[in-house]
Structures are given as C-alpha cells and as structure tokens.
Amino acid sequence: MTEGETGTDAPEESGGTGTSARRTKSEHQIRREAELHKRSRRSTSIATASTIVVAVVLIVGVTASPGWPTVQDKFFNPSQFADGLPDVLRGFLLNIKIFLIAEPIVLVLALAVALVRTLRSPVFFPLRAIAVFYTDVFRGIPTILLIYLVGFGVPALQLQGAPNDPVTLGIIALILSYGAYVAEVFRSGIESIHPSQRAAARSLALTHGQTMRYVVVPQAVRRVIPPLLNDFASLQKDSALVAVLGPLEALRQASIHSSLAFNYTPYLSAALLFIVLTVPMARFTDHLAARAARRQLAGGHV
Amino acid sequence: MSLLSIQGVWKNYHDHSVLRGIDLEVAPHEVVCLIGASGSGKSTLLRCVNLLESIDDGAVYLDGTEITDVRTDPDDVRKRIGMVFQSYNLFPHMTVLENVTLAPRKVHKTPAAKAEAEAMELLARFGLEGKAKEYPDRLSGGQQQRVAVVRSLATQPRLLLLDEVTSALDPTLVMEVLGVIRELKAAGMTMIIATHEMGFARDIADTVCFLEGGVLLEHGPPEQIFTAPENPRTREFLRRVLESGRL
Ligand SMILES: Nc1ncnc2c1ncn2[C@@H]1O[C@H](COP(=O)(O)OP(=O)(O)OP(=O)(O)O)[C@@H](O)[C@H]1O
Ligand SMILES: [Mg+2]
C-alpha cells in the first residue's frame, strides 16, 4: 500500500492482516475523490489564467512606456547580444574558475576557524584569539574594499614570493572575506547541536577532538547545508567583483564591449549567465531543505 | 574493597550547593539505587562520578585510585565507566551498529571487524539484532534506550551509571528496559541507578539510597528502606510516592 492510499482507506475490518487485501472503495469515498479531483483541476486553471493576466499586464505596461524603444535598443539589442556573448562567456569561464578554486578553500578555512573557536584549553588561547579577530575583522570589511586592499596593497608591499597576479589576489580576497562568513555559519551549526550529544560522546571516553569529528561536526554540517549553499551562490556572484583588479572575467568583458558600442546589452548577457548558474543551485537548496523536512517528519513517530 | 568510593562530595552551582557531602561505597557486583524527589541531586551525583561535572570538595575513588585528582585523565576514567542517559542520547546520524561500535573502534582501538562482531552479539542478546542497520529515529523509545545500554556496554565498563533510563518511556516499554537491567544484574554488572520506579528499585537493588536536598539521608537494603525507614524524611517521601500510586 502506498503512503497516499493509507489515509483515504477506511479502517480494515478487525482480523484483517493489513498490508495485502485492499477493500473496494465505498460510494462515499468515490464521490469524495471525484470532488477532490475537480477542485485540483479548477485550481490549475485559475493559476494558469492569473499567470497569463499578470504577464500580459507587465509586457504591455513596459513596452507601452515612452522610454521603451530606447531601453530596448540599449539593453535588449539582439545584434549586440550576439556580438558580445562569446567574449562574455569566455570571461564567465574565469568566474567559474575563481569560484571553483575559492569555494573548497573557503570551506576548509571556515571549518578550521569554527573548530578553533570551540577549543577550551588555555594552550590554545592565542589560536582562539586569532580566530575571533579574523572573523570579526573580515566580516566587517565590505568584500569589494577587501579586493582593493589585497589586490593593490599586496603587490605594493613588494614582498618576495607574494603573488601579484590579479586573479590570484582576487581569489585570496574572496577567500578571506567568505571564510569569515562561512566560519560563523559552521559555528552556529556546531552550537546548535544539543550538549547532551557531547555528554554522551564524552561519557564513552571520546576525546574533545573525537567528539567533534565523529559526533558534532557531521550533524552540524548537515544542519547548515542550506545556508552554506546560499553563501555559495553569493560567492559565485561576487567573483565578478574581481573585475576591479582588471582580469578579463564576465563583468569586465561586458563592460569593455559595452563601452566600445555604447550599448548596455553585454551587461545583460553577463547577468543572464550568472542567473543560469545560480538558479539550479537555488532549486537544489530547496530540494535539500524539503528532504530534510521530510526526514524530520519521518522521524517524528515513536 | 569497594569498587567505587564516594567520600564527602560537594557540588555547587553558583552559590547553591546541590550535593552536600555525599558518602557512598559500592562493592563489586552491587546494584545501588538512588531515589529521591526531583532536584535532589541524583543526576548530578552520577555526572560527578563520570567526571562530566567537576566536584567542589571531597573525593571519588575507583578501584582504589582517586579519579577526582586533578592529574587523572578523565578519558581514562570514562573508559571504565559506562553511562546511560534519560534521553538516550543516541547519535542520530549513525546507524545502531555505528553507535555501538564508535567507542570500541575509536577509543579502544578494536579492529572494525571484531568490534562489529562483538556489537552484533550484544545487540542479539538484547533482541536488537534486526535493528543494527537502522537509524535511531526509526526505533521506538524502548528500543532506543536498549541500544543506549548496549552502546555503554560495548566497551566492557567496570561500572554502569543509569540515569532514569525509563522515565521517557511509556509503561509497556518500561518493562522491556527494566528486563535488560535485570539481566545485567544477573550477569554481575556493578550499577548505580537513579530511578523513580520504586517497585523496580525494591526488586533489583542491593542497596537503596535516599537523597534529599543533596544529602544522602538514609541508605540500606531495600526491605529496610521501603518497609522500616528510620529517617522521617524518607518516610514522608515514600508516603507521597505511595499516594501518587508509584509503589
Ligand atoms: N547545570 C546546572 N546549573 C545549575 N544548576 C543545576 C545544573 N544542573 C542541575 N542543577 C540543579 O541541581 C539540582 C539537582 O539536580 P539533578 O538533576 O541532580 O536532580 P535529580 O535528582 O536528578 O532530579 P530529577 O529526578 O528531576 O532528574 C537541581 O536543583 C538543579 O536545578
Ligand atoms: Mg535527574
């Protein structure tokens, strides 16, 4: 018997063994299901109709406005779109590269910082202080400012062996900024695990490190996956901020094309590319959240 | 010689003393039941023995060595003491088998195959062999609590601390968990059991201790405590328990 059916079936006569024999539905239930079916069809048609109305109003409203022809030419210009897209797309691959390099390092750094903040022994006081200082400072600095500071500041120091390639510097700045954010996400996850879990682990003679590794962190990470994915999406977008240092990523390509042709359509292409990347991520986050909610329900019964 | 010796233990929270000079000797294979009203300090005493709480005065000896000495390694002590909590505290992200084998593998460095074989044997002994691959949230409360007992037994502790292990369970499930504890007694396990189940305490305990306001007011064999308590406070407590129908 499937889940949906158990609810609508009348209780089995006593002595019935449950799982196998299915009763034929009563007249009453058949009428009820027909009514439910009718209703669901009706709500589908209502949704369709209202969507069409809203879309028409929007399109007519926008295209009928006096400035529309200019806007269409400057922002939605098909030939400009075709012209700019290959370069913007090439630039966008650099955005993806920046993101793919930065994200794993952010995760490792952030988890390390969050874990250091859970250490209680006085030996670790300096480490703990550094972790607190790091999160406080780097969460406070706007990401774009940090990119300027790292991107122009580090090369100016003229240190031996310090990187001076703008992409690397941009990645370092993003890592520093997002590391601080994500560390706080991890920390809130760790703190959300009930102390009784820790007590149980310690009573089994697990050390603090083992308790964290096997009991607390696995549960904490599961809990913070949705906010983490949210930060991922944010980091994907903010990879465009590296444009201020000059590398030819999507935004920079778009602005080059746009200034050559006095047309803003290339920006639109760049925006579309970012959307194409973040929308699947958003749906995936929803999917995970829904799954977690279902699991919660499944675990509800005793 | 006593397996566990608790001598003049004090515990304060802020400026409030919840244990006020507790003395208690537990012999090998002895089953001690702690009874007393809510807030009398039963859980706190168990947590102090397990070093989950630090004490503010006195000393606790396990097998003749002081475990409350600041130089002892708490993990060393906990390797020899098992604890089962009122709220089971199973690890929800691990299967039953993983819950049970975690400490043997990571703390006692038992090879995985051996740890699993031993765990399966224990699970079978308590009627849980079919649940090894389940996650805790798929089990009934009684099954979860039995898994928690098995988990604490998997490291072969010298002493088992049980803190109101049945109070989160409905009456039909209480019996199955109490059955497990009876079996442990038969196998010679030394236990300290905090409980509100007076009938059970009377039945299983070698010694019953009555706590009130952090003081161990009276202790003795169950027949004496339950039929001829010397202390008027004990009598008062048992009268109230009797009135509420829990004896
Ligand atoms: N972490 C804590 N901080 C402050 N006070 C505490 C803490 N833990 C326990 N107490 C207090 O210590 C006293 C004894 O608590 P304890 O949990 O040992 O009682 P108990 O006998 O186990 O009660 P119950 O039968 O309800 O479990 C209570 O007054 C309680 O409020
Ligand atoms: Mg208690």
Side-chain angles (χ1 to χ4, degrees):
Chain A
M1 223 183 269
T2 67
E3 251 170 48
E5 286 162 347
T6 46
T8 55
D9 255 0
E12 295 277 345
E13 322 234 289
S14 59
T17 44
T19 50
S20 59
R22 279 216 40 185
R23 287 169 68 257
T24 49
K25 286 175 188 156
S26 70
E27 276 301 310
H28 190 68
Q29 177 65 9
I30 289 169
R31 271 201 304 280
R32 175 157 48 211
E33 283 177 10
E35 177 62 22
L36 280 174
H37 189 67
K38 208 166 76 193
R39 282 187 186 200
S40 94
R41 243 185 351 217
R42 195 186 311 146
S43 50
T44 311
S45 14
I46 292 176
T48 314
S50 85
T51 308
I52 291 173
V53 169
V54 169
V56 167
V57 167
L58 275 177
I59 290 168
V60 171
V62 169
T63 55
S65 68
W68 172 246
T70 334
V71 170
Q72 187 178 28
D73 179 53
K74 289 288 180 206
F75 284 90
F76 299 95
N77 188 318
S79 71
Q80 286 295 331
F81 187 82
D83 221 34
L85 191 60
D87 276 345
V88 176
L89 188 59
R90 193 140 17 86
F92 190 65
L93 292 181
L94 181 57
N95 288 82
I96 293 181
K97 187 178 140 196
I98 291 173
F99 165 74
L100 287 180
I101 294 174
E103 189 59 50
I105 304 178
V106 164
L107 286 176
V108 172
L109 171 71
L111 187 57
V113 170
L115 284 174
V116 163
R117 291 189 71 170
T118 68
L119 298 174
R120 285 287 159 261
S121 157
V123 185
F124 298 114
F125 177 78
L127 262 181
R128 214 159 58 226
I130 292 172
V132 173
F133 177 80
Y134 164 71
T135 38
D136 284 355
V137 167
F138 285 87
R139 239 167 10 128
I141 306 177
T143 309
I144 183 124
L145 193 56
L146 195 61
I147 289 174
Y148 274 115
L149 284 175
V150 174
F152 297 121
V154 171
L157 291 176
Q158 300 189 327
L159 291 171
Q160 268 298 314
N164 56 7
D165 144 55
V167 175
T168 311
L169 290 168
I171 290 176
I172 291 172
L174 284 173
I175 288 171
L176 288 174
S177 182
Y178 273 83
Y181 271 108
V182 175
E184 287 301 283
V185 172
F186 277 132
R187 194 162 72 101
S188 69
I190 288 171
E191 279 172 4
S192 77
I193 303 303
H194 197 272
S196 62
Q197 286 285 307
R198 234 161 292 185
R202 297 313 298 269
S203 80
L204 290 168
L206 269 71
T207 61
H208 171 85
Q210 290 172 323
T211 300
M212 281 293 157
R213 175 161 169 214
Y214 300 113
V215 175
V216 177
V217 169
Q219 294 184 63
V221 166
R222 260 161 248 221
R223 236 173 245 195
V224 299
I225 280 175
L228 273 184
L229 288 177
N230 204 30
D231 281 346
F232 275 25
S234 210
L235 177 56
Q236 287 175 357
K237 290 187 299 180
D238 280 358
S239 66
L241 296 178
V242 175
V244 300
L245 300 181
L248 294 173
E249 51 71 68
L251 175 59
R252 182 118 182 92
Q253 289 282 15
S255 80
I256 290 170
H257 270 267
S258 136
S259 58
L260 286 178
F262 298 106
N263 191 292
Y264 299 110
T265 308
Y267 285 124
L268 189 80
S269 343
L272 279 178
L273 289 174
F274 279 105
I275 291 174
V276 164
L277 194 63
T278 48
V279 165
M281 186 87 101
R283 289 293 81 77
F284 182 59
T285 312
D286 289 350
H287 165 77
L288 285 182
R291 204 181 61 177
R294 270 201 309 278
R295 254 201 78 102
Q296 207 81 46
L297 274 182
H301 65 89
V302 170
Chain B
M1 188 186 67
S2 294
L3 188 143
L4 184 79
S5 167
I6 299 173
Q7 301 181 1
V9 165
W10 282 72
K11 173 69 189 174
N12 310 324
Y13 286 116
H14 314 295
D15 44 352
H16 172 61
S17 296
V18 296
L19 296 181
R20 308 166 150 265
I22 302 274
D23 293 299
L24 179 64
E25 300 289 323
V26 183
H29 311 299
E30 187 178 0
V31 174
V32 175
C33 281
L34 306 177
I35 62 169
S38 197
S40 54
K42 305 181 294 293
S43 301
T44 307
L45 182 58
L46 294 182
R47 292 172 66 90
C48 285
V49 170
N50 205 7
L51 306 183
L52 287 173
E53 303 283 353
S54 61
I55 60 175
D56 293 295
D57 204 350
V60 181
Y61 296 82
L62 181 66
D63 288 323
T65 43
E66 185 185 345
I67 59 175
T68 42
D69 188 316
V70 287
R71 285 161 303 184
T72 45
D73 176 4
D75 290 328
D76 245 15
V77 175
R78 295 185 191 124
K79 280 180 196 168
R80 290 179 283 159
I81 301 180
M83 179 147 182
V84 185
F85 300 84
Q86 176 174 351
S87 49
Y88 334 132
N89 300 359
L90 294 178
F91 306 130
H93 59 299
M94 296 183 185
T95 63
V96 165
L97 190 60
E98 287 164 348
N99 263 281
V100 175
T101 55
L102 179 67
R105 282 170 45 216
K106 302 304 175 191
V107 178
H108 299 258
K109 310 292 177 203
T110 313
K114 183 160 178 271
E116 278 178 22
E118 287 171 358
M120 288 309 294
E121 210 169 289
L122 270 177
L123 287 170
R125 190 171 138 200
F126 296 110
L128 291 161
E129 64 274 39
K131 304 293 179 188
K133 300 284 178 215
E134 293 278 17
Y135 284 88
D137 63 3
R138 304 296 296 264
L139 303 182
S140 75
Q143 291 166 339
Q144 290 191 46
Q145 193 57 292
R146 282 186 285 154
V147 172
V149 171
V150 168
R151 182 175 71 177
S152 72
L153 289 176
T155 52
Q156 298 170 342
R158 299 268 289 133
L159 170 68
L160 201 56
L161 309 174
L162 302 155
D163 190 2
E164 285 176 38
V165 292
T166 58
S167 57
L169 303 175
D170 70 60
T172 52
L173 299 178
V174 167
M175 295 319 295
E176 76 183 44
V177 173
L178 294 186
V180 164
I181 299 172
R182 279 201 187 88
E183 188 181 330
L184 290 178
K185 180 184 163 100
M189 176 62 79
T190 313
M191 292 183 275
I192 307 180
I193 307 173
T195 184
H196 287 296
E197 303 281 339
M198 296 305 149
F200 171 67
R202 187 173 191 163
D203 177 38
I204 198 170
D206 298 308
T207 306
V208 175
C209 299
F210 173 65
L211 270 79
E212 189 174 87
V215 182
L216 208 163
L217 280 183
E218 183 165 5
H219 69 109
E223 310 82 65
Q224 184 216 314
I225 298 289
F226 286 109
T227 56
E230 282 163 11
N231 194 302
R233 308 291 310 153
T234 316
R235 243 172 286 158
E236 168 66 14
F237 171 74
L238 291 173
R239 191 182 56 76
R240 274 186 288 128
V241 170
L242 200 61
E243 274 172 8
S244 65
R246 293 192 74 157
L247 194 66

